[in-house]
Amino acid sequence: MDIYRHRPKEVFRAHPAVLSLIVFVSLLLEVTLPPAWPLAHLFQFPLLVVMYFSMVRENQVFGIAFGSALGLLQDALAHGYLGQMGMAKAFVGYLAATAGLKFEFDNLLVRGVLIASLVCIHNVFLYLLTHELLGLPPPFEPLQLLASILVNVALGLILFPLFDRLKQPA
Amino acid sequence: MPAIVNRHPSFFVLLGVLLAQLLLLSVQITRNQNVRLIHVWAATAFGPFEQGFHDAVEGAVQSWKAVHVLWADQQENEMLGTQLVVARARIQELSEKAAEVQRLKALLNFKSQLSYRSIAAEVIASSPGIGSTVVSIDRGQDSGITVDLPVVTPEGVVGKTVAVYPHTAQVLLITDPSCGVGCLLGESRLQGILKGGGQGRCELQYVMDEEKVSAGEAVLTSGLDQIYPKGLLVGYIVRSEDGNIYKHIVVKPAVPLSRLENVLILFKSGPEQRQAMNVGRP
């Protein structure tokens, strides 16, 4: 199975209104689902949105800007320090766009591996930033990380085909 | 240095963004998280949507729970309905058994009070037709039953055996027009013959017009007919009217003859019956 990209580049984008709506809904789900359904605290909708749109756009600067903006919005809603999520998501956006340039993103296995890797990197980055740099809780919990990876891989594999319908050639 | 930046511009953009946000963080930490305005804006902008979405999700969750509870209640209701039917059938069965026990107990008490030998029997059939005056019992020749034996219950006289078969016998009820019972009145001691009158009633015949008979008076067997022992309750006078010579006296049987279930057959005190009693079922 060839997961590296050899054919000509095909870059996609989403309509700004659609993208804004998706960002809005992802933030809304992020803050409103966990109180009603505690298991939903594992879902990382904004992270999946950053991943997907950075990968399909294949533009690292876009990935950084998009991730940074969405992360800062999350920070603003979280009532914590501004910049924690912003930095983590900017980093993930950059990595996702880089991965989009190198890998065949339509492949289901590639999608799964990329989502797992980026969720892991995002959570570890966030942990290092908040716990090690700022000295804030919570402590690192490997099982929590594993659960988060598995849940978000499953969620991403469900959501990404839906997002595929919204993308249009750039 | 510029060559490296030109080769990897996006990487340096990332570094710049991270650095800028790191500075933002350090500013917040040194100013004790003094970026309240941004949080207020974010909360103000998102607040109504959060509230609306929360209400919608909560409503959906509550609806789902309500549906689930209703479904569970329906299942439980169906299960309880089935159990109720079974329990009702069981109660009915137990009630029947309890009633049977009561009847048999009364029959046993009555039997122990009698000075005659007797044998219990169960009514197994009645002759077809409304107002049937013949019933079949589950005792026959094998129990020593012969014709013209009195059949009674604790309430009173039922009739007499008219046909006997190996394992069953037929009993002619006192309401049959062809059945005659020698009787006397409980208070006045006037004698007469009780004949069946149909429709669950009997008539006491051969009581003179000049005699005084009152409704409600008990009618007992006189023993003169050589079939029924003396002193058994037959019924009560319902109505008494003067006729040409004899009164028309209507008697209601003491025994509810349409609901007979268990009866006693009395044996005459002759040696034949005593021997039959010994070989018959208890």
Side-chain angles (χ1 to χ4, degrees), chain B residues 7 28 99 111 119 128 133 151 177 180 189 232 234 258 264 278:
Chain B
R7 279 184 63 189
Q28 290 170 79
K111 185 178 176 181
I119 186 168
T133 54
V151 179
R189 313 307 287 179
L232 295 175
V234 178
S258 59
L264 277 181
N278 292 333

Side-chain angles (χ1 to χ4, degrees), chain B residues 115-168:
Chain B
S115 55
Y116 305 95
R117 291 186 178 278
S118 61
I119 186 168
E122 192 172 349
V123 174
I124 54 173
S126 63
S127 58
I130 301 169
S132 166
T133 54
V134 176
V135 295
S136 297
I137 56 174
D138 64 343
R139 301 286 185 176
Q141 286 168 347
D142 56 352
S143 298
I145 307 295
T146 57
V147 293
D148 287 338
L149 289 182
V151 179
V152 298
T153 70
E155 289 90 2
V157 174
V158 171
K160 64 177 181 180
T161 53
V162 286
V164 181
Y165 307 106
H167 308 295
T168 60

Side-chain angles (χ1 to χ4, degrees), chain A residues 11-162:
Chain A
V11 181
F12 295 97
R13 62 191 290 272
H15 191 279
V18 173
L19 192 59
S20 304
L21 185 68
I22 289 172
V23 167
F24 177 77
V25 171
S26 71
L27 287 171
L28 206 56
L29 290 172
E30 181 88 352
V31 295
T32 50
L33 270 188
W37 185 28
L39 196 68
H41 79 275
L42 291 171
F43 296 161
Q44 292 181 294
F45 291 104
L47 177 63
L48 292 170
V49 169
V50 169
M51 272 184 217
Y52 179 83
F53 288 101
S54 301
M55 277 193 230
V56 294
R57 190 66 184 264
E58 298 175 8
N59 183 324
Q60 291 160 326
V61 175
F62 171 83
I64 294 164
F66 184 54
S68 186
L70 212 156
L72 284 170
L73 269 174
Q74 255 188 298
D75 285 331
L77 287 169
H79 304 287
Y81 289 120
L82 283 180
Q84 299 175 76
M85 285 286 186
M87 278 194 275
K89 289 211 166 36
F91 188 49
V92 168
Y94 172 79
L95 292 179
T98 308
L101 285 166
K102 292 185 181 300
F103 299 106
E104 186 58 64
F105 184 55
D106 290 337
N107 187 293
L108 205 65
L109 183 66
V110 174
R111 280 189 177 188
V113 173
L114 281 178
I115 294 169
S117 308
L118 292 172
V119 169
C120 182
I121 290 168
H122 173 268
N123 288 8
V124 170
F125 186 93
L126 203 59
Y127 163 74
L128 290 174
L129 193 66
T130 55
H131 192 68
E132 299 299 331
L133 190 66
L134 301 176
L136 299 172
F140 184 66
E141 290 179 22
L143 278 177
Q144 182 81 6
L145 176 65
L146 185 65
S148 180
I149 290 170
L150 292 175
V151 166
N152 284 292
V153 166
L155 192 62
L157 292 178
I158 294 167
L159 284 179
F160 286 5
L162 299 176

